[in-house]
Amino acid sequence: SAVISQKPSRDICQRGTSLTIQCQVDSQVTMMFWYRQQPGQSLTLIATANQGSEATYESGFVIDKFPISRPNLTFSTLTVSNMSPEDSSIYLCSVEGMTGGGGGYTFGSGTRLTVV
Amino acid sequence: AQTVTQSQPEMSVQEAETVTLSCTYDTSENNYYLFWYKQPPSRQMILVIRQEAYKQQNATENRFSVNFQKAAKSFSLKISDSQLGDTAMYFCAFMKAVSGGTSYGKLTFGQGTILTVHP
């Protein structure tokens, strides 16, 4: 299955600033997914990133707040823009773990973001 | 839209004992996949076990097994011979099968169950 390197692992940021999170995969993947996990909560999908096209955002998430880049089949970034304390969460990227149907998904190790 | 419900916010078990975590889901789909993920304090999401809805046989991975009841839309996880390293948050997840059998669908997660294994 794929191996994902996610950076940074954690950061403390000032409100009003932006943070870019990177995910590098050791193999080519069609889709990459970005999730948010608020403190003590479950994972919520932010958007799906497909190489060569704009990301598809879920209800409640907008491109201006969470711009995503997907320049090639092994890399993606998520930016959290104009941050407020409500953005304090764990952000995780994910890719399909293996080819074929329902193989399960592999996750990055997550980025713990604290906005002060 | 699919929903996944985990009705047990917290569970605890003694080391070497067996524990069952509950999960129910609601969907109108016939082809889908179900997963259990484990998230220890390191926050790394780890796939524990997966089940294809079209398979009647319950999935098993070493000490982990599921009881998949498609008609009841129930998907419980049984952990046998619990170990201290099993202490984690466990998430049940649903994914609709995309046409052609590919898995490029999005995961819908339950609220999670915190499992604590006591020595």
Side-chain angles (χ1 to χ4, degrees):
Chain A
S1 59
V3 176
I4 303 174
S5 173
Q6 183 172 345
K7 299 179 183 178
S9 60
R10 60 178 64 226
D11 207 340
I12 301 174
C13 301
Q14 297 290 323
R15 68 175 66 202
T17 63
S18 298
L19 176 71
T20 296
I21 302 167
Q22 300 179 0
C23 273
Q24 177 75 51
V25 190
D26 68 346
S27 59
Q28 294 184 342
V29 293
T30 302
M31 301 257 190
M32 294 183 73
F33 302 86
W34 288 96
Y35 288 86
R36 181 176 73 182
Q37 186 179 21
Q38 293 176 300
Q41 306 274 327
S42 185
L43 282 75
T44 302
L45 182 65
I46 297 171
T48 302
N50 194 0
Q51 194 264 338
S53 62
E54 285 208 357
T56 302
Y57 289 81
E58 296 297 306
S59 175
F61 298 96
V62 295
I63 188 171
D64 289 347
K65 177 66 175 177
F66 298 101
I68 288 172
S69 77
R70 184 79 202 277
N72 56 52
L73 291 173
T74 63
F75 187 78
S76 179
T77 66
L78 169 76
T79 299
V80 186
S81 303
N82 188 25
M83 289 185 285
S84 66
E86 292 70 36
D87 294 320
S88 297
S89 296
I90 296 171
Y91 293 86
L92 301 105
C93 62
S94 175
V95 302
E96 186 182 20
M98 56 178 138
T99 56
Y105 285 75
T106 299
F107 286 81
S109 54
T111 297
R112 183 183 294 276
L113 170 62
T114 302
V115 184
V116 298
Chain B
Q2 286 70 229
T3 58
V4 178
T5 302
Q6 294 177 248
S7 58
Q8 306 153 314
E10 295 186 40
M11 295 280 285
S12 63
V13 64
Q14 293 295 126
E15 198 174 7
E17 297 292 308
T18 296
V19 64
T20 298
L21 308 184
S22 301
C23 173
T24 58
Y25 58 94
D26 186 25
T27 185
S28 58
E29 301 292 335
N30 192 47
N31 292 327
Y32 51 88
Y33 303 90
L34 296 163
F35 307 91
W36 278 98
Y37 280 89
K38 165 185 175 181
Q39 187 180 41
S42 68
R43 72 176 179 267
Q44 177 74 55
M45 291 287 285
I46 301 166
L47 178 63
V48 175
I49 198 165
R50 53 188 278 267
Q51 174 82 40
E52 295 97 327
Y54 63 86
K55 288 189 176 179
Q56 293 186 343
Q57 185 173 6
N58 289 323
T60 300
E61 287 287 342
N62 301 313
R63 298 183 294 108
F64 299 89
S65 61
V66 298
N67 183 4
F68 173 48
Q69 302 290 327
K70 190 172 183 179
K73 297 179 181 174
S74 170
F75 183 61
S76 61
L77 174 70
K78 185 171 82 171
I79 305 174
S80 304
D81 185 25
S82 296
Q83 300 176 0
L84 297 178
D86 295 332
T87 292
M89 174 85 92
Y90 286 81
F91 291 100
C92 177
F94 171 100
M95 187 187 72
K96 183 177 74 170
V98 180
S99 61
T102 62
S103 59
Y104 301 143
K106 65 179 183 180
L107 291 167
T108 300
F109 287 90
Q111 306 92 318
T113 297
I114 299 173
L115 175 67
T116 303
V117 181
H118 298 285

